[in-house]
Amino acid sequence: MISAAESITHQHLLSVLNTEVEGVSITKPVRLLDVGCGDGLLIKYLTANFGVCNQGLKFEIYGLDVADHGVQADGYFEKTIENLEAEFPDTPWKDRLHVISTKDVWPFSDCFFDIILSNQVVEHVSDQDLFFSEIGRTLVTGGFSVHLFHLKNSFYESHLKLPLVHRFSNHDFMEKYIKTLSKIGWGKYKHHNSTSPTSVTEFAERHADYIFFFTNYLSYSEVLTLCKKHYLPASFRYTQEYYFSKIRSIIKGSPKYKLTKNRSGIVDWFAIFVLKYVSSVTLVLHKGERYTQQPTDEQKQEEL
Ligand SMILES: C[S@@+](CC[C@H](N)C(=O)[O-])C[C@H]1O[C@@H](n2cnc3c(N)ncnc32)[C@H](O)[C@@H]1O
C-alpha cells in the first residue's frame, strides 16, 4: 500500500517519476538522487513508495545537500542521516547521503544517476550554471530529472506570501516594502508573530536578508537558456498536474500516482504560460544522445 505523503509536492513528484520511469530501459538498480534533500522526508517517502508503485524495479536512493547555504541549522545533515537510519536500518545511508559546499562539483562520477529530482531547491541555488551542468554530467544518457520550484515570474513570493518581493534587487527597498505590507497585515508576519513574537522591524530585516541572500529566482526564459546551454531539453509538461493534486487533496479525492504520458502540447504550453505567474512549476529534463557538432568536411562530402 502507498503511504500518505506529508506534502503534496512529494506525492506529485512520485507521480511524475512513476510516469517518466515507464519505458526507460534499466538493467541495473535505478539510481535516484534527491538534490537539496534537506531533512530527508522526500527520500523517506520515495524509499517507502517508489517500489510499491513500480513492482519489480530495484532502486537505490541517494541524497545531496550543501552545508554553507545558510538557511539550515548546524548539524542538520547528521539529523537527516539519523532519521533515515532509524526508518530504514538496512540501507547504508552514510554512503548514500553527501553534504558539500555550494561551490563544489557533486561527489558522483559521470553518468551515475538514472533519475535526479529536487523539491523547492532551484530557487535557492546560488550557482545555477554549476547546478545544471552537474545534472547534465551525472545523469546517464537516457536518464531524466524532475524539479519542482518557483520561478521569478510568479506573482507571490512563496516564503513570505507577499507579492513581487522576490523581484527587487535593492535590499533597502525590499526591507521597507516587507515592513509596510506586514504592518497592514499582509503575508506571514501575523502568523509568525503569533508563534514566535517578533517586532515588525526585526521581521522585515531578517526576511529581507533571507530573500536577498538565500534565494535566487530564475525566470522562465532563464531556465530555458540554462537548460539549452547544458544540452538538456526542458519541458514543463506536468506543471498543471501539481495544481490538480492540490485540488484533489482539498476535496479529499484519492491521489493520482500515474499521469498521462501522451499529452497535448498546446494544453501543456498554455498551462505553463499561465501557471508560471501563480506558484510552483515542474521542470522535466531528459538527457539523450544529442546532435551537438557540425559535420566534418568528410561527412559533408559523403552526404553530397
Ligand atoms: C527549501 S529547502 C527544500 C528542502 C527539501 N528539498 C524539501 O523539500 O524539504 C532548500 C534546500 O536546498 C538546499 N540547497 C541550497 N543550495 C543548494 C545547492 N547549490 N545544491 C544543493 N542543495 C542546495 C538547501 O540546503 C535546502 O536544504
Side-chain angles (χ1 to χ4, degrees), residues 268-283:
D268 287 348
W269 174 83
F270 185 70
I272 183 65
F273 180 75
V274 175
L275 294 173
K276 66 175 182 275
Y277 299 108
V278 180
S279 179
S280 289
V281 297
T282 306
L283 172 68

Side-chain angles (χ1 to χ4, degrees), residues 178-247:
I178 296 173
K179 190 170 168 181
T180 307
L181 294 192
S182 300
K183 267 188 185 165
I184 59 170
W186 283 29
K188 278 196 166 169
Y189 174 68
K190 238 181 177 172
H191 175 73
H192 184 93
N193 195 36
S194 66
T195 51
S196 60
T198 323
S199 73
V200 76
T201 306
E202 195 189 331
F203 177 85
E205 266 169 27
R206 288 204 9 228
H207 286 81
D209 281 356
Y210 179 84
I211 303 298
F212 197 75
F213 297 118
F214 301 126
T215 65
N216 193 18
Y217 287 89
L218 285 170
S219 69
Y220 175 68
S221 54
E222 283 166 345
V223 171
L224 295 180
T225 305
L226 265 174
C227 296
K228 179 175 171 175
K229 180 175 175 191
H230 297 290
Y231 293 103
L232 295 164
S235 164
F236 288 92
R237 62 181 168 272
Y238 298 114
T239 291
Q240 64 270 38
E241 309 285 357
Y242 173 61
Y243 295 83
F244 296 150
S245 289
K246 276 190 165 188
I247 294 167

Side-chain angles (χ1 to χ4, degrees), residues 100-162:
I100 57 170
S101 119
T102 44
K103 294 192 174 66
D104 292 341
V105 293
W106 298 355
F108 306 106
S109 53
D110 295 358
C111 305
F112 190 77
F113 293 109
D114 301 285
I115 303 170
I116 297 175
L117 71 151
S118 69
N119 183 31
Q120 317 291 346
V121 173
V122 176
E123 63 273 60
H124 291 281
V125 171
S126 50
D127 187 346
Q128 281 138 340
D129 194 39
L130 176 67
F131 188 84
F132 282 92
S133 157
E134 286 301 280
I135 291 172
R137 182 184 69 77
T138 57
L139 206 54
V140 72
T141 303
F144 68 90
S145 75
V146 186
H147 309 273
L148 187 68
F149 60 102
H150 284 79
L151 289 170
K152 194 184 231 165
N153 305 70
S154 65
F155 182 68
Y156 270 91
E157 201 290 321
S158 60
H159 303 93
L160 293 182
K161 302 266 182 280
L162 288 177

